[in-house]
Every structure is written in C-alpha cells, then in structure tokens.
Amino acid sequence: AQSVTQLGSHVSVSEGALVLLRCNYSSSVPPYLFWYVQYPNQGLQLLLKYTSAATLVKGINGFEAEFKKSETSFHLTKPSAHMSDAAEYFCAVSLSGNTPLVFGKGTRLSVIA
Amino acid sequence: GAVVSQHPSWVICKSGTSVKIECRSLDFQATTMFWYRQFPKQSLMLMATSNEGSKATYEQGVEKDKFLINHASLTLSTLTVTSAHPEDSSFYICSARASKKWRETDTQYFGPGTRLTVL
C-alpha cells in the first residue's frame, strides 16, 4: 500500500523567502510522485511530477522537487516566495500512470508581505 | 492542452433529489477518469475509478448505488448522486488520464471541481 505524509499542515513564509514543503512517501515499488496546487474553490493544478527519470524535477511557477530514495522524500521548494503562491499544496503518489493517486493531507502555504 | 471541465461548478439541491455532475476532457481522450471527494480543509479521497465502456470500480465504503458513475465516451464521465442528503454535501473533483495517443499518459488532469450543497 502507498501512503504520503506531508509534514506541517500550515507553513507561513515571508515574501521573498525560501519555500520548503515536506513530503515523505511509502511505496512497495518505485513510485510516481506528484505535487499539485489548489487555490480556493478550484481544482488541482499539476506543479511537477517524478516518474523515474531525473531526480531533480523542475515545475511551473519556479517550483522544483528532489526525489531522494534513501530518505523516501519528495520535498517541494521555491527559492523566493510570491504572494500569489499562497494556496494549498498536495503531494501525491501512485504506482503507475494507470493507478489512482493517493494524496497527502495537504499543506497550506501563507505568504506574508 | 489537457483541459478537464466539470459542470456544474456548484449546485444546491433539496434533500432526496438526485444531482448529476459531468466531467469532460476537452482536448484529449481519456480512457480512465477518477472521481474524488474533498471535505472542507481536508485532502482528496478517491471514490471510484471509471473506465470507458465498463463498470466503475468503487473504493471501499463508497456506495455504488448512491454514487452512480457512467463513462459513456472517451471524453465524458458522469457522477450522479442519488437521493442526496446533507451529509453528501462536499466538493467533488474528477480527473482524467489521457489515452496512449498522448505523450503524458502518467499524469492525471483535474477538473475545477463541483461544490454540492444539499439542504
């Protein structure tokens, strides 16, 4: 069975500061890993994904994540936070492209001016 | 590309009525669609997996007679909440996985969600 743990239900950073959202996964096989962002009352938008290629994955809006098998982690980072980054972020894992996603509980990112 | 729409975006209905939610892949064919449910300030929970032309596969604890799923074509899946009750009020989100004709078959594209309120 797969699972995802997102450490910190709420993260607050200052505008311009580093964003670090943590995600640890559990999977019996090499996983597919995803980060999605959700703005209020909207669906999910894919930020980036890892599918067994390069371990450092670059996504949209300046976000990137690094797959670390030894740490079973897939943390999301952005060098400099913008006010528009304030949203809910979900880490998700799946066995393959055919299988459903298992989501973490989400981390709400607040950006302080 | 890879746009998924949902209709309606929000709906209010009376207890006991049925509500149909549509999920469409606008610019690609989706062999598989997934239906999720999201309670306020919580994560998404998978309800069912819908494959075109076959019966949906429901997750444990999801009543298939209450949440009817029909995947009639490669671009449309519908979720019907039958005899809705206030506890069915939630945010329902669908996602679609592209068919092999597309490059990124390992990605699910999400619709914008439908907020259902049952009075």
Side-chain angles (χ1 to χ4, degrees), chain B residues 27-46:
Chain B
D27 50 2
F28 66 99
Q29 292 184 335
T31 52
T32 304
M33 289 184 173
F34 302 94
W35 285 96
Y36 296 85
R37 183 173 180 177
Q38 185 180 31
F39 290 103
K41 300 187 184 302
Q42 295 189 27
S43 189
L44 284 74
M45 299 299 294
L46 179 68

Side-chain angles (χ1 to χ4, degrees), chain B residues 83-119:
Chain B
S83 186
H85 288 117
E87 56 266 30
D88 298 325
S89 299
S90 190
F91 194 51
Y92 293 87
I93 304 176
C94 73
S95 70
R97 184 183 69 84
S99 67
K100 291 182 179 179
K101 292 181 181 179
W102 270 59
R103 290 176 297 171
E104 297 189 71
T105 58
D106 54 10
T107 300
Q108 291 181 32
Y109 300 96
F110 283 79
T114 297
R115 183 161 302 283
L116 170 64
T117 301
V118 184
L119 301 177

Side-chain angles (χ1 to χ4, degrees), chain B residues 29-91:
Chain B
Q29 292 184 335
T31 52
T32 304
M33 289 184 173
F34 302 94
W35 285 96
Y36 296 85
R37 183 173 180 177
Q38 185 180 31
F39 290 103
K41 300 187 184 302
Q42 295 189 27
S43 189
L44 284 74
M45 299 299 294
L46 179 68
M47 298 175 66
T49 301
S50 169
N51 291 299
E52 187 266 336
S54 63
K55 291 184 178 180
T57 302
Y58 290 81
E59 294 300 298
Q60 190 174 8
V62 178
E63 299 176 60
K64 62 180 180 181
D65 294 331
K66 181 170 186 60
F67 297 100
L68 301 178
I69 292 173
N70 184 6
H71 195 157
S73 76
L74 286 171
T75 59
L76 173 64
S77 176
T78 60
L79 168 67
T80 301
V81 183
T82 62
S83 186
H85 288 117
E87 56 266 30
D88 298 325
S89 299
S90 190
F91 194 51

